[in-house]
C-alpha cells in the first residue's frame, strides 16, 4: 500500500533548510527565495519568504513531501500555514552558531506547541561543528530527544534524518 507523509523542515534563518530540501528532493525544488535584508545580507544574499517544496520517494511505497519554512520571524505566519496537516517535522539548528540557540529554543517551543506530532532535531553543519550534541540538548531543554548530526549538503546525511523521523511517525 502506497503511503505519503508531509514533513516540515523548520529552524532559524541560515540553519540550512533550503539546502536540506534541495539535497534530498527527487524533483526540482519549488523555492521562494528573495534578496535578504541589508542586515542579513552579510550572512547570505537570499532568503526563503514563503516555502521550499521538494518530494522524495524513500522506497517503492513511500513518498515524502518536504516543506521548508522561512527562518525569519517576519514570515512566521508561513510556519503556521505549512504546519497544517504535517505528519512530523525536522527542526534544524546551526551547530556552528552558539548565539542562535536561545532563539532556536523559543522557536522549537512554539513549533512543538502547535501540533502533537513526532519530530527530530538535526544539528546541521556537523562537518564544521562547534557545538556538541550535549550543548545543544541542554540549550534547547531536550530530555529524551536525540540530536542527529547532519550535513545538509550530503544526501546520505539528509536521508538519514528523514528516515529517523519516518520511523517515529510509523511507530
Amino acid at each position: 500500500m502506497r503511503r505519503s507523509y508531509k514533513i516540515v523542515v523548520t529552524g532559524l534563518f541560515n540553519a540550512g533548510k533550503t539546502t536540506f530540501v534541495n539535497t534530498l528532493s527527487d524533483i526540482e525544488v519549488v523555492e521562494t527565495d528573495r534578496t535578504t535584508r541589508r542586515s542579513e545580507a552579510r550572512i547570505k544574499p537570499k532568503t526563503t519568504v514563503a516555502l521550499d517544496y521538494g518530494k522524495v520517494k524513500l522506497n517503492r511505497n513511500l513518498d515524502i513531501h518536504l516543506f521548508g519554512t522561512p527562518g525569519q520571524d517576519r514570515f512566521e505566519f508561513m510556519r503556521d500555514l505549512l504546519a497544517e496537516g504535517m505528519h512530523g517535522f525536522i527542526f534544524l539548528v546551526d551547530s556552528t552558531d552558539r548565539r542562535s540557540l536561545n532563539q532556536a529554543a523559543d522557536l522549537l517551543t512554539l513549533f512543538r506547541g502547535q501540533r502533537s506530532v513526532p519530530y527530530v532535531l538535526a544539528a546541521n553543519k556537523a562537518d564544521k561543528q562547534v557545538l556538541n550534541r550535549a550543548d545543544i540538548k541542554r540549550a534547547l531543554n531536550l530530555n529524551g530527544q536525540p540530536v542527529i548530526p547532519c550535513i545538509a549538503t550530503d544526501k546520505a546525511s539528509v536521508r538519514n534524518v528523514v528516515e529517523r523521523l519516518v520511523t517515529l511517525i510509523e511507530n
Side-chain angles (χ1 to χ4, degrees):
M1 185 166 100
R2 189 141 200 81
R3 298 176 329 277
S4 178
Y5 296 128
K6 177 182 181 179
I7 293 177
V8 173
V9 181
T10 195
L12 297 178
F13 173 75
N14 199 40
K17 300 172 298 296
T18 299
T19 302
F20 186 100
V21 172
N22 269 294
T23 296
L24 192 59
S25 183
D26 293 334
I27 65 169
E28 185 176 343
V29 172
V30 175
E31 294 180 2
T32 59
D33 285 359
R34 296 293 181 267
T35 303
T36 306
R37 286 181 170 174
R38 188 176 309 187
S39 61
E40 293 143 346
R42 62 180 164 58
I43 298 169
K44 65 181 198 171
K46 294 197 175 255
T47 192
T48 301
V49 297
L51 69 112
D52 298 311
Y53 171 76
K55 181 179 175 185
V56 62
K57 184 182 254 186
L58 278 190
N59 61 47
R60 275 187 324 124
N61 298 317
L62 181 58
D63 290 329
I64 302 296
H65 300 271
L66 295 168
F67 291 83
T69 69
Q72 297 177 5
D73 287 339
R74 64 189 171 127
F75 302 117
E76 69 182 294
F77 67 94
M78 283 305 302
R79 294 181 197 139
D80 296 338
L81 291 172
L82 294 172
E84 284 295 321
M86 71 179 167
H87 294 94
F89 69 93
I90 296 164
F91 193 87
L92 279 183
V93 295
D94 180 346
S95 67
T96 67
D97 186 1
R98 184 176 305 278
R99 294 174 303 165
S100 71
L101 288 181
N102 286 341
Q103 190 179 2
D106 293 342
L107 178 57
L108 179 59
T109 299
L110 285 171
F111 218 77
R112 282 192 316 204
Q114 288 181 335
R115 310 283 184 283
S116 181
V117 297
Y119 74 96
V120 294
L121 194 130
N124 190 28
K125 305 177 187 178
D127 53 334
K128 304 170 188 162
Q129 186 172 354
V130 172
L131 303 165
N132 63 42
R133 285 187 260 179
D135 291 337
I136 294 168
K137 283 181 86 152
R138 194 171 25 263
L140 299 180
N141 296 318
L142 300 173
N143 295 328
Q145 188 71 27
V147 175
I148 306 166
C150 176
I151 302 169
T153 57
D154 180 272
K155 191 168 191 157
S157 179
V158 171
R159 187 177 181 95
N160 174 55
V161 172
V162 171
E163 287 174 344
R164 298 265 304 261
L165 179 56
V166 168
T167 299
L168 293 174
I169 292 168
E170 294 185 337
N171 288 331

